[in-house]
Amino acid sequence: MKDFALHDAPVLDELRALAAERILILDGAMGTMIQTLGLSEEDYSANGHIHGPGCRHHTDHPQKGNNDLLVLTKPDAIEEIHYQFAMAGADILETNTFSGTTIAQADYGLEGAIHYLSVAGAQVARRAADRAQATDGKRRFVAGAVGPTNRTASISPDVNDPGFRAVSFDELRRAYGQQMEGLIEGGADIILIETIFDTLNAKAAIFAAFEVFQKIGQRLPLMISGTITDASGRTLSGQTPTAFWHSVSHARPFTVGLNCALGADLMRPHLAELAGVADTLICAYPNAGLPNAFGGYDEAPEQTAAFVGGFACDGLVNVVGGCCGTTPDHIRAIADAVAPYAPRKVPA
Ligand SMILES: [Zn+2]
């Protein structure tokens, strides 16, 4: 990885300058907003005729629940959600591409449409970002969201065969690379590697990002976000926040942070640990509390905002937003709650 030969993309300076002035706002949960639309199988799959910019793809697989596909089959609805988050105060919009790799889309038989999903996912967010900027004059950024996939590279899914792996580093690297190329082609400013439960998956994504940066001749800002999956404060692959940071710090990310999982209240000590060790900007976007018995989220915007405002008051964060269950109202409340506070100072 000869990243020393690469110069930083101009957008990195722009983001750093803004982040020096104030806490930046990331958007909320696309999935939560899509649920409120009550879409049918036909809405998702367009009767199996998946057409988009340059894309003519046919599928016989049921697609209901494949939210990533909506950037091709319901682009206006997705753009509107991005726009609502932008107007609620988000500086950074995450593309609707969390499961947009050949690995994660294999369940839906859409491996062949990955390029189009990635390009269209970024384009839809870009349109919303540019429209919001034209409305209020405030710069918006598009973060190409790269999820963990549904396989882990360092843990066996079979308790009777601990040496088995459902996916290899190279398979992940290739899949992530393909997705990232499409995201950048579609106009992403940032690559966001998020909801990391297995650090080896994230390392494959980082490797892929640098391969793509070599191809395009510049380094885009990287945001890296892990998820703490149990109360002992470890990722699924068993790392503490400190260990997680040491595993990804070589990528010199624009931000490192935590998202999803436990909600803001329970995330706090783990975030504080990460903020104590990482010599880069800290990003936190928790769920709206813990899921209820039906998998929904009950935490009101003011509650989530009070916790996240607490992070800001204590100087723990540089970028904040929301994960599962957070709506534009949550983002608006979070933006208001952190506005009085200065961004965290990066330790020298
Ligand atoms: Zn989440």
Side-chain angles (χ1 to χ4, degrees), residues 154-345:
S154 72
I155 303 170
S156 173
D158 180 356
V159 287
N160 296 312
D161 186 1
F164 175 74
R165 295 292 178 269
V167 71
S168 72
F169 184 94
D170 273 334
E171 286 165 351
L172 284 165
R173 176 183 64 82
R174 279 194 294 273
Y176 281 132
Q178 189 187 1
Q179 182 185 21
M180 289 171 184
E181 274 185 46
L183 289 169
I184 294 168
E185 186 183 322
D189 301 300
I190 299 165
I191 294 293
L192 167 66
I193 302 169
E194 66 172 347
T195 323
I196 299 161
F197 53 78
D198 183 340
T199 303
L200 192 53
N201 287 40
K203 288 172 95 72
I206 291 167
F207 197 98
F210 277 87
E211 287 185 314
V212 175
F213 296 161
Q214 293 278 4
K215 263 192 207 172
I216 63 170
Q218 59 178 355
R219 226 181 102 92
L220 295 191
L222 267 182
M223 297 175 72
I224 299 180
S225 185
T227 192
I228 300 291
T229 49
D230 72 88
S232 79
R234 288 172 190 262
T235 64
L236 190 70
S237 58
Q239 287 187 313
T240 61
T242 302
F244 172 65
W245 165 243
H246 290 303
S247 303
V248 300
S249 60
H250 66 282
R252 293 187 290 115
F254 168 61
T255 68
V256 68
L258 297 174
N259 73 291
C260 205
L262 306 174
D265 187 21
L266 298 176
M267 175 189 279
R268 193 197 154 84
H270 316 307
L271 188 68
E273 180 183 332
L274 192 61
V277 292
D279 60 351
T280 191
L281 304 182
I282 294 286
C283 175
Y285 54 114
N287 289 352
L290 288 166
N292 62 30
F294 307 101
Y297 294 85
D298 301 323
E299 202 172 82
E302 308 72 51
Q303 292 174 288
T304 312
F307 291 126
V308 176
F311 299 167
C313 178
D314 292 345
L316 298 179
V317 285
N318 303 94
V319 182
V320 294
C323 200
C324 306
T326 58
T327 63
D329 286 342
H330 286 81
I331 296 308
R332 195 173 289 109
I334 287 170
D336 287 346
V338 303
Y341 303 110
R344 162 181 169 273
K345 291 236 179 326

Side-chain angles (χ1 to χ4, degrees), residues 26-49:
L26 190 65
D27 62 7
M30 177 58 75
T32 300
M33 297 302 289
I34 289 173
Q35 261 176 20
T36 66
L37 301 176
L39 299 177
S40 66
E41 170 62 31
E42 199 187 322
D43 290 321
Y44 274 91
S45 70
N47 294 315
H49 301 292

